[in-house]
Amino acid sequence: MRQEPNHNIIFPINLITYTSTDVLKSEHVFLTAESYIDIASISVVPRTTGGQVYNYLPFSALSDTAKLYNDLRWNIIRPQGFEAVMRARCSQGIQVQEYHGNFCKRIPTDIDLPAIDCDKAIMVSLKHDDKLPDGSEFAFQRALLYTTMYGQRRIRVTTLSLSVTSMLSSLFRVADLDAQFTSMLKQGMHRFLKAPCSYFLWDRIVSFTWSLQLRLAVHPLHFFKSGNKL
């Protein structure tokens, strides 16, 4: 009697880098199941090690095999760095409030990334604790220390200087609404996962975010003039 293959498999891909004292591991999980899997529990390890979860639920050997192969191949050959440490800082009057993304945070000012690749993004929330003079220049800087695939230790620094303005017309000429909406959605999901929430409240959150995105896209200036707050 011919036995059918079992496709309820979890493929973990471990990218391991070594230091003199410990092992830094970034774990990527490939879910190829045909039934329910507790993705929220499984994703904790990839989220805290700079990894990623690839979900193919429900997995089909006919239609998903090529996608699984391409994702697995790109996960191995894509440009990436190891043992990375990142810090963001800014001018006086503004401070870093929180980091969002897949990483490990051992000290308040830095984030640790066992592996960092070209598909990863880290969101940094800023807040101002002092009055910002109109027309002044403020600088933001991000420094990333990492090891290349060839074993070279490098540091990459990115600096951005912006002008302070109190005019909404000047603000909306350079504002990135997609980035703002992504930031709001990530912060909302972060709070939602930390606190118990009913299905009704979750439905209200989704409805509000989509409504807000539509209003910002159609009438952004009117939205703020009417006294609404983000």
Side-chain angles (χ1 to χ4, degrees):
M1 182 177 179
R2 183 175 178 271
Q3 185 178 2
E4 294 295 331
N6 182 15
H7 298 300
N8 294 329
I9 305 173
I10 299 178
F11 291 94
I13 305 300
N14 300 324
L15 305 178
I16 304 176
T17 59
Y18 296 92
T19 64
S20 58
T21 57
D22 57 356
V23 177
L24 299 179
K25 179 173 64 174
S26 179
E27 183 165 331
H28 303 259
V29 179
F30 294 76
L31 302 177
T32 59
E34 296 178 347
S35 57
Y36 170 78
I37 289 182
D38 188 1
I39 302 178
S41 300
I42 295 175
S43 63
V44 173
V45 175
R47 186 168 63 248
T48 54
T49 60
Q52 185 176 349
V53 176
Y54 297 83
N55 182 22
Y56 307 92
L57 185 68
F59 181 78
S60 172
L62 297 177
S63 59
D64 295 330
T65 302
K67 180 174 176 56
L68 174 62
Y69 171 79
N70 290 330
D71 290 342
L72 182 60
R73 178 178 178 273
W74 176 244
N75 189 280
I76 297 174
I77 68 173
R78 63 185 171 186
Q80 53 190 312
F82 307 99
E83 301 177 13
V85 179
M86 194 191 86
R87 173 183 293 187
R89 60 180 184 174
C90 42
S91 300
Q92 185 177 2
I94 301 178
Q95 63 177 344
V96 176
Q97 183 179 21
E98 194 174 3
Y99 294 91
H100 300 273
N102 292 358
F103 54 81
C104 176
K105 192 174 182 181
R106 292 183 290 185
I107 60 177
T109 57
D110 300 345
I111 61 174
D112 298 295
L113 298 156
I116 181 71
D117 55 72
C118 57
D119 297 326
K120 294 293 187 300
I122 303 296
M123 187 181 74
V124 182
S125 300
L126 306 173
K127 71 173 183 179
H128 59 86
D129 51 7
D130 198 358
K131 185 177 180 180
L132 306 179
D134 194 13
S136 59
E137 294 283 337
F138 279 81
F140 306 89
Q141 189 176 78
R142 184 267 299 166
L144 178 67
L145 178 66
Y146 67 100
T147 302
T148 66
M149 300 177 65
Y150 304 101
Q152 299 175 344
R153 197 66 173 163
R154 296 181 180 179
I155 183 170
R156 177 171 293 185
V157 179
T158 304
T159 305
L160 176 66
S161 180
L162 299 175
S163 300
V164 178
T165 180
S166 58
M167 299 180 60
L168 288 178
S169 58
S170 300
L171 174 64
F172 279 104
R173 276 200 298 267
V174 296
D176 189 340
L177 295 182
D178 291 336
Q180 294 179 25
F181 177 72
T182 302
S183 173
M184 294 167 54
L185 190 59
K186 285 182 178 293
Q187 293 178 13
M189 287 298 301
H190 183 70
R191 297 189 183 99
F192 173 76
L193 293 175
K194 283 190 172 183
C197 183
S198 64
Y199 176 80
F200 173 75
L201 183 56
W202 167 245
D203 184 68
R204 292 289 300 274
I205 293 174
V206 174
S207 300
F208 171 76
T209 52
W210 281 112
S211 175
L212 179 60
Q213 184 188 33
L214 180 62
R215 295 170 67 184
L216 284 173
V218 177
H219 299 293
L221 193 59
H222 175 72
F223 177 81
F224 286 98
K225 283 185 176 181
S226 59
N228 293 285
K229 296 182 179 180
L230 293 179

